[in-house]
Amino acid sequence: MIQMNNYTQQETIAITIGLPVYNVEMFIQRSILSVLNQSAELNIEILAIDDCGTDNSIDIIKEYQSSHPKGKEIRIIKQPHNMGCWAARNRILEEAQGEYIFLLDSDDYISEDCIEKLYLEAKKHHAEVVYGSVRPVNDKGEPIDIGQSYLEQPYIVFHAQNGLAQFANNRLHPTFRDYIWNALIRKDFIEKHHLRFKKALFCDDMMFSADMTPLIIDAVLIPDITYYYVIRDNSLSSYQHRQVIKLEEIKESFRVYSYLKDKCTELKDKEYFEARCTKGMILMFYAVCGALKNRKRIRPYLTNQIIKEAIKHPLQLKEITKFKRYRFINLGFYIIGCLPAFISVLLLKHFGRKKNYI
């Protein structure tokens, strides 16, 4: 079922703001109001994907659709059944009528001038993607420090193949986090490269970014805070407050991070290849340490063999020995992945404890 807004075919929609909506009743009012109250004087459509939740999230959106002065901008599309965030985001990409697409998680919210600032930069520089800066907040909207200062970025304009990807991978410490939910993305760029979200229980946005970032030529980063990222302890990917963690969830996490580390095999001709490869291995190391830290709560049991397969290096030994940067880090990961499973896990525990990850 699709509820249409009042735009005519003659009107050009500048921006589609897309929200996957599933059981976010406590947050959706703040989120949808942040969109409806944008300062930009543009034709905007708000595309809410109803992922068949069990609370009143969609009813709240419908109330604003009928009562808010800009309620006509809202279009609600109902999924056939609960399909997950990745599928809802793909539905946004397929149904969007705007020249640009902005993805917003429906428990987060944006600044009043978010769309105006991103759109002006996109037009000024003919950008494929414009990224704003991010501020992490708690449920009450209070700023919190999650140790990611690079979420507030400098003003930079890129007009070169690999320019943004090189900046993102010029060293191991993060310089840029390419969140897809705080980016204004030109729709024809998405269609040109056939970009879609891959099926995943969580972190589908990270896989999408891994696919998209190497393709970007024209991009802008701005220092202005345009997005408020709400940190919730009870989110699906958070382990700390659960007594039992399903093994399938851990295996799904390993599958996602395997995709991120294996992606480097497509980037061997890039200047940033060695850094990107190393960062992929380090991300998997973080994921493995998180699983080992919570191993006693995982059901059924997380075996050593599953862990060893997760940490396996995607490159051959002869390729790693040619590295000019980070050679020994990659050799270490390669050796750990070749050892008997119980020794691999012992070494991973040892290094994880040294880094205070376990």
Side-chain angles (χ1 to χ4, degrees):
M1 178 179 68
I2 299 178
Q3 298 186 13
M4 296 297 295
N5 56 29
N6 295 326
Y7 287 120
T8 67
Q9 291 183 344
Q10 285 72 38
E11 289 182 293
T12 299
I13 297 175
I15 296 166
T16 296
I17 303 176
L19 298 87
V21 180
Y22 179 78
N23 288 357
V24 285
E25 184 175 355
M26 297 294 294
F27 304 95
I28 191 61
Q29 179 176 351
R30 180 172 59 185
S31 184
I32 196 70
L33 279 174
S34 76
V35 176
L36 287 167
N37 294 334
Q38 284 297 294
S39 60
E41 296 183 2
L42 299 166
N43 282 340
I44 295 174
E45 69 164 345
I46 304 163
L47 189 52
I49 305 300
D50 178 0
D51 202 22
C52 304
T54 57
D55 67 1
N56 295 316
S57 299
I58 291 297
D59 291 334
I60 292 170
I61 294 176
K62 287 179 178 177
E63 181 180 336
Y64 283 109
Q65 191 181 40
S66 61
S67 64
H68 196 277
K70 295 183 180 179
K72 67 179 180 62
E73 296 176 349
I74 299 174
R75 186 158 58 107
I76 301 172
I77 298 180
K78 186 178 179 66
Q79 295 283 69
H81 54 87
N82 176 241
M83 300 173 68
C85 189
W86 69 275
R89 285 169 168 159
N90 279 340
R91 193 75 187 269
I92 292 168
L93 300 187
E94 291 156 6
E95 299 282 351
Q97 299 175 9
E99 180 186 3
Y100 293 87
I101 298 174
F102 183 92
L103 297 171
L104 169 64
D105 279 2
S106 49
D107 50 355
D108 299 334
Y109 57 101
I110 55 179
S111 66
E112 186 175 312
D113 57 1
C114 170
I115 297 303
E116 180 179 9
K117 286 184 173 179
L118 298 181
Y119 184 78
L120 287 174
E121 293 292 338
K123 285 298 186 181
K124 178 180 178 181
H125 298 287
H126 306 286
E128 296 160 328
V129 188
V130 181
Y131 295 92
S133 291
V134 176
R135 175 153 295 163
V137 296
N138 61 21
D139 291 356
K140 298 178 182 178
E142 299 166 337
I144 56 176
D145 183 3
I146 60 173
Q148 297 183 1
S149 58
Y150 55 88
L151 295 179
E152 296 186 28
Q153 57 207 9
Y155 182 84
I156 308 178
V157 179
F158 299 95
H159 287 304
Q161 187 77 49
N162 304 319
L164 178 64
Q166 177 65 40
F167 174 76
N169 295 286
N170 63 3
R171 55 194 175 103
L172 296 187
H173 185 75
T175 52
F176 166 64
R177 177 57 67 88
D178 48 351
Y179 291 119
I180 55 88
W181 36 250
N182 186 33
L184 192 66
I185 310 172
R186 212 166 63 208
K187 184 178 180 180
D188 63 3
F189 169 79
I190 292 172
E191 297 306 314
K192 174 184 176 181
H193 295 289
H194 310 288
L195 290 167
R196 289 295 183 272
F197 290 89
K198 292 176 172 59
K199 185 176 182 180
L201 186 61
F202 46 77
C203 295
D204 56 288
D205 54 342
M206 293 177 69
M207 291 192 285
F208 187 92
S209 292
D211 291 339
M212 182 175 77
T213 302
L215 302 171
I216 297 171
I217 297 174
D218 303 302
V220 182
L221 313 185
I222 66 171
D224 307 72
I225 302 296
T226 54
Y227 196 99
Y228 294 89
Y229 173 36
V230 180
I231 306 292
R232 293 192 286 154
D233 286 343
N234 63 343
S235 65
L236 181 62
S237 57
S238 177
Y239 299 145
Q240 58 265 41
H241 298 302
R242 288 186 274 158
Q243 295 301 313
V244 176
I245 302 166
K246 294 180 180 179
L247 176 61
E248 285 304 312
E249 186 176 332
I250 300 298
K251 291 169 73 173
E252 174 72 353
S253 173
F254 288 173
R255 185 183 71 83
V256 169
Y257 283 96
S258 289
Y259 183 86
L260 298 180
K261 71 179 175 69
D262 294 348
K263 186 72 179 179
C264 76
T265 60
E266 302 175 15
L267 305 170
K268 293 179 182 179
D269 63 332
K270 307 299 183 184
E271 184 179 346
Y272 57 86
F273 162 64
E274 293 177 8
R276 173 63 181 80
C277 180
T278 310
K279 290 171 76 171
M281 292 305 303
I282 291 172
L283 282 173
M284 179 57 85
F285 176 62
Y286 293 158
V288 166
C289 286
L292 288 171
K293 182 178 181 179
N294 294 280
R295 197 175 193 181
K296 292 182 179 179
R297 291 189 282 156
I298 299 171
R299 301 290 184 278
Y301 184 70
L302 174 61
T303 66
N304 289 340
Q305 189 61 37
I306 293 174
I307 296 169
K308 175 185 171 177
E309 288 299 318
I311 205 67
K312 185 177 180 182
H313 205 290
L315 300 181
Q316 299 295 319
L317 179 59
K318 62 182 180 181
E319 295 176 300
I320 297 172
T321 57
K322 295 177 182 178
F323 275 30
K324 296 179 180 178
R325 302 172 69 194
Y326 316 119
R327 182 188 305 162
F328 292 109
I329 296 175
N330 285 276
L331 283 173
F333 281 125
Y334 180 86
I335 292 169
I336 289 173
C338 291
L339 293 170
F342 79 96
I343 298 179
S344 293
V345 172
L346 284 175
L347 287 171
L348 288 166
K349 284 182 177 178
H350 170 73
F351 290 115
R353 286 172 182 144
K354 284 191 70 173
K355 294 289 186 179
N356 293 319
Y357 299 147
I358 298 176

